[in-house]
Amino acid sequence: MSIESQSAPQAPPPTDDQAPRPRYLEVWGDTVAGRDLAVSVVIGIVLSVCALLGATALFNSFVADSSLADAYALLVGIAGCLVAGVVSGKLFRPKRNIAVDSSEGDAVGDVIRVLQEERRGLGSVDDLPAQTVRELKDLDLYDRFVEAENRTHETGGRS
């Protein structure tokens, strides 16, 4: 009697829908990909420590007061942290997808009605700065405010 070992069936390679998703962590109220965070921390450590040690050696070579040289080196190390933040920001772009639930449309209408009922009213979209108009259009809210403004004018100032 012999026992034959059978290998486990191989799973098909993941498709785009089944691609492994990054593991997300919550840090300071924001959701981040764990791998991106780890790489960013390593970049920050390497750049800031290299900047600090290099600046310490440089400033100690020509600044007479060692405490003053250390203070200047610390400033360079802090600048290294800022550079690391910029580098990490460029390498790891935001991965947020904002999805609006259909029930949120009713909530937006409620907010617009509350704004209309306030003492100063809703105002006019013509008075908004170009940046605000662009943001409203990006969020698909501009037309809702225009409609609310038109309804206000048709009803004589009250919605």
Side-chain angles (χ1 to χ4, degrees), residues 16-99:
D16 287 340
D17 294 339
Q18 298 172 338
R21 295 176 157 239
R23 184 168 181 186
Y24 293 105
L25 307 169
E26 187 168 330
V27 179
W28 294 329
D30 199 3
T31 305
V32 297
R35 180 187 169 282
D36 294 352
L37 178 64
V39 172
S40 295
V41 168
V42 170
I43 290 171
I45 290 170
V46 169
L47 284 178
S48 60
V49 169
C50 288
L52 177 66
L53 295 177
T56 300
L58 178 70
F59 288 130
N60 280 329
S61 68
F62 67 86
V63 175
D65 186 6
S66 67
S67 64
L68 188 60
D70 290 343
Y72 287 147
L74 186 58
L75 289 174
V76 173
I78 292 171
C81 290
L82 294 174
V83 169
V86 170
V87 168
S88 296
K90 293 291 183 184
L91 285 177
F92 306 112
R93 295 285 182 191
K95 296 166 184 69
R96 293 183 182 102
N97 291 324
I98 299 174

